[in-house]
Amino acid sequence: YAFLLDVAVRNGHPALIVGPTGTGKSVLVQQYLYSLPAEQYVPPNCVGFSARTSANMTQYLIDAKLDRRRKGIFGPPVGKKAVIFVDDLN
């Protein structure tokens, strides 16, 4: 999984890691994301979903870690990339 995750992140493609409960998918992804070079990537934004997570809460969690460019436009600091990890998607 680590190789496929690396290829997807480096090329700007989304990745979906699936498997049985308790096999370490979240740990693998978090270890990889926290090992990304700080010169190119902002610290990863890890969003955990639950039954109580709303759309507004999700948007706030993502927007809070990004810079405001202009009204309604958010993004990572200039020259860096942002990676968002959504855990427990169902």
Side-chain angles (χ1 to χ4, degrees):
Y1 291 122
F3 172 75
L4 295 175
L5 183 62
D6 183 53
V7 170
V9 170
R10 302 259 179 218
N11 291 302
H13 294 288
L16 179 64
I17 310 266
V18 297
T21 303
T23 56
K25 299 176 296 294
S26 296
V27 173
L28 174 110
V29 171
Q30 287 179 352
Q31 284 179 344
Y32 173 77
L33 293 179
Y34 284 110
S35 71
L36 289 172
E39 304 83 36
Q40 295 176 320
Y41 295 91
V42 296
N45 190 352
C46 298
V47 178
F49 276 135
S50 71
R52 298 182 54 106
T53 306
S54 67
N56 288 337
M57 186 184 306
T58 303
Q59 183 173 358
Y60 173 77
L61 290 170
I62 293 171
D63 289 347
K65 302 262 178 117
L66 300 173
D67 292 346
R68 185 173 181 176
R69 304 248 170 108
R70 57 184 184 270
K71 185 177 180 181
I73 305 294
F74 295 87
V78 177
K80 291 194 174 191
K81 295 181 181 180
V83 177
I84 300 169
F85 171 51
V86 178
D87 194 13
D88 201 14
L89 180 67
N90 59 34

